[in-house]
Amino acid sequence: MATEWRGGYQVTSAPALSKDLVIVGSSIADNWKVDTERGIVRAFDVRTGKLRWTWNPSPWADDTKPRTGGANAWSTLSVDPEQDLVFIPTGSASPDYYGGIRKGDNKWANSVVALRASTGEFVWGFQVVHHDLWDYDVAAQPLLFDWKDGTPAVAINTKMGHVFVLNRLTGAPLLPVEERPVPQTDIPGEQGSPTQPFSTISLVPEGLAPSEAWGPTPEDVKWCQDKIKASRSEGIFTPPSLKGTIVFPGNVGGVNWGSATYDPQRHFMVVNTNRLIAWVKLIPREKFETETNKEQDNRIYGEFGEQSGAPYGLYRSFIFSPSKLPCNAPPWGTTKAVDLFSGKQIWDAPLGTLVPGEQTGSINLGGPIITAGGLVFTSASTDLYLRALDIETGKELWKYQLPAGGQATPMTYSLNGKQYLVIAAGGHGKLGTKQGDYVLAFTLP
């Protein structure tokens, strides 16, 4: 493993357990260089620590020059012990925003792959993005549930807001999936995919035209319109460009690491969604150093990525007008319920706020849970509140201000006849929420 930056390889989610195996993915830093570590998934014997099997999501990458890395599983794996299956959500091949070195679909990056848990044998795979150029990795844990007729099913939530519902045993779609033409690249050396898969369920708006720009003042609206007009903005999957590209939904989602929760009685899936515009600009290598020395905003709004080994570095940001509010109309983050059997969207409630006193929703990182009593609990937003919503309507029933940001998914358990709700409130540096070191427990009536 390369040692020039030890922070470039980590484990960011809990391992999965399957009988006598502990199965782990990895987190590999984005946009650092082409030849990062590969996203090998490893299974270890829980008693001896011995490595039992490995799975490489991108064996084709060994033949690229320089060798491509990434395609790692940084999110949470899911296990079906009865079927001896483990479901692996994978990220983008490196680097995220330039694929001229990693030509083709890049399977099995940006996918959910089913492996035989006991052996690591490949069973099936479903790719949600071909030849990713947008940092649209699969950040959400695969959701296992039973389909209408009892067929074992899996729901894949994505940063695009597309939800793919598949047969858990075969990978065959249970709700229709369509390959549609998408905008093509104008970057020399790049070869994008001519089509991308679109699902029956889409949770968030896609793409932004100048006429859809939003702002609290006419000056803000004009600033946003001018920014969009000066960029490539041809809907979802518009590829990165030298002049800058609107990416909506942005790389934070759609649905991110918080994942989904499921009510088997109502067959409702509930997720937290983000609705922020990202802006991505590729920078020719010979101009990269000069660009990085120019004034830049703080990291939540913008960051440079060297993409060393590629002919282009990048700058990416979220688009906020001079008012410091997003250029798209609110809500900017929601908790949303969908009937997975029909694909019908049941309710969509703003989550948190960026404007005190208004229900604008906010960027969020963390997920919801559902109790058997029909309550949805979630925190995740930037305003520090833990909330309870009605599963039928999305109406807020209760909220509690946490001492630090609740960028986590709550958990629940029972003890001596009482049900408890617990959340870790530690804050989030990149979101700028209040940081701390708290674990809070509540009792449910």
Side-chain angles (χ1 to χ4, degrees):
M1 180 183 297
T3 58
E4 67 266 39
W5 179 28
R6 292 187 180 274
Y9 188 99
Q10 309 172 46
V11 175
T12 49
S13 296
L17 290 173
S18 180
K19 297 182 179 177
D20 61 346
L21 294 179
V22 57
I23 306 169
V24 295
S26 59
S27 174
I28 297 173
D30 291 344
N31 309 313
W32 166 28
K33 60 178 185 175
V34 174
D35 60 334
T36 62
E37 296 304 317
R38 296 170 298 166
I40 305 296
V41 177
R42 297 175 173 87
F44 298 89
D45 189 295
V46 296
R47 295 180 179 85
T48 67
K50 182 180 178 181
L51 182 65
R52 291 267 291 270
W53 58 256
T54 64
W55 176 71
N56 182 1
S58 55
W60 51 266
D62 292 340
D63 297 326
T64 64
K65 297 186 187 308
R67 179 187 57 75
T68 296
N72 50 296
W74 66 268
S75 187
T76 308
L77 316 184
S78 297
V79 173
D80 181 342
E82 292 184 3
Q83 303 295 337
D84 189 27
L85 293 174
V86 58
F87 297 87
I88 315 292
T90 64
S92 314
S94 62
D96 289 353
Y97 294 95
Y98 178 75
I101 296 165
R102 49 175 174 85
K103 301 187 189 308
D105 279 354
N106 303 155
K107 291 179 179 175
W108 290 103
N110 304 91
S111 302
V112 165
V113 172
L115 304 179
R116 191 69 58 202
S118 56
T119 65
E121 173 192 2
F122 178 89
V123 178
W124 60 260
F126 183 90
Q127 190 172 54
V128 303
V129 180
H130 311 314
H131 193 84
D132 182 28
L133 298 172
W134 306 272
D135 192 13
Y136 278 160
D137 44 358
V138 183
Q141 181 184 23
L143 173 68
L144 308 186
F145 71 105
D146 290 333
W147 188 240
K148 306 173 188 178
D149 58 2
T151 297
V154 56
I156 304 172
N157 281 276
T158 67
K159 288 184 178 181
M160 302 85 73
H162 299 163
V163 183
F164 298 95
V165 180
L166 312 176
N167 183 309
R168 198 188 312 165
L169 307 183
T170 67
L174 295 172
L175 289 176
V177 176
E178 180 184 5
E179 289 281 341
R180 298 179 191 167
V182 293
Q184 292 302 292
T185 184
D186 57 6
I187 296 295
E190 182 61 89
Q191 296 179 16
S193 174
T195 65
Q196 295 289 351
F198 285 75
S199 62
T200 301
I201 304 172
S202 181
L203 301 175
V204 297
E206 299 176 6
L208 193 74
S211 61
E212 297 171 299
W214 179 92
T217 69
E219 292 77 16
D220 285 309
V221 172
K222 184 174 188 310
W223 187 95
C224 294
Q225 288 176 334
D226 290 345
K227 183 73 171 179
I228 297 167
K229 288 176 182 177
S231 309
R232 282 198 70 176
S233 183
E234 300 153 38
I236 191 171
F237 298 119
T238 303
S241 62
L242 296 179
K243 68 179 183 178
T245 290
I246 299 294
V247 181
F248 188 45
N251 53 285
V252 76
V255 182
N256 207 292
W257 172 85
S259 308
T261 183
Y262 183 69
D263 180 343
Q265 291 183 319
R266 299 172 179 84
H267 33 89
F268 287 1
M269 180 186 76
V270 178
V271 292
N272 291 342
T273 73
N274 285 296
R275 304 174 182 199
L276 293 183
I277 314 164
W279 187 81
V280 176
K281 177 183 178 180
L282 292 181
I283 305 168
R285 178 63 53 207
E286 65 275 13
K287 298 180 180 179
F288 186 72
E289 184 176 356
T290 301
E291 286 288 322
T292 59
N293 288 326
K294 291 181 179 179
E295 183 178 351
Q296 58 178 299
D297 46 26
N298 90 25
R299 188 167 155 75
I300 183 60
Y301 298 118
E303 62 182 333
F304 286 97
E306 188 170 355
Q307 298 193 146
S308 176
Y312 302 92
L314 75 97
Y315 179 75
R316 68 177 181 179
S317 65
F318 292 103
I319 302 183
F320 286 68
S321 69
S323 70
K324 301 192 182 305
L325 291 174
C327 279
N328 56 300
W332 300 308
T334 74
T335 301
K336 189 162 193 169
V338 178
D339 185 326
L340 280 185
F341 286 5
S342 67
K344 180 182 177 183
Q345 302 188 30
I346 307 301
W347 50 261
D348 195 18
L351 175 60
T353 186
L354 294 180
V355 181
E358 298 184 22
Q359 288 189 313
T360 68
S362 83
I363 184 173
N364 58 84
L365 290 173
I369 61 168
I370 302 172
T371 69
L375 296 176
V376 176
F377 286 97
T378 188
S379 179
S381 64
T382 58
D383 65 0
L384 306 187
Y385 282 101
L386 172 64
R387 292 175 163 86
L389 311 179
D390 185 302
I391 182 64
E392 296 283 357
T393 65
K395 180 182 178 181
E396 183 180 291
L397 303 175
W398 170 85
K399 68 179 180 179
Y400 178 88
Q401 187 167 9
L402 300 170
Q407 275 66 58
T409 302
M411 65 169 285
T412 187
Y413 65 94
S414 295
L415 179 66
N416 298 328
K418 278 197 172 186
Q419 185 174 3
Y420 294 83
L421 178 82
V422 177
I423 187 166
H428 196 285
K430 205 170 189 181
L431 288 188
T433 56
K434 185 178 178 182
Q435 297 193 33
D437 187 15
Y438 301 91
V439 177
L440 292 92
F442 303 83
T443 57
L444 273 64

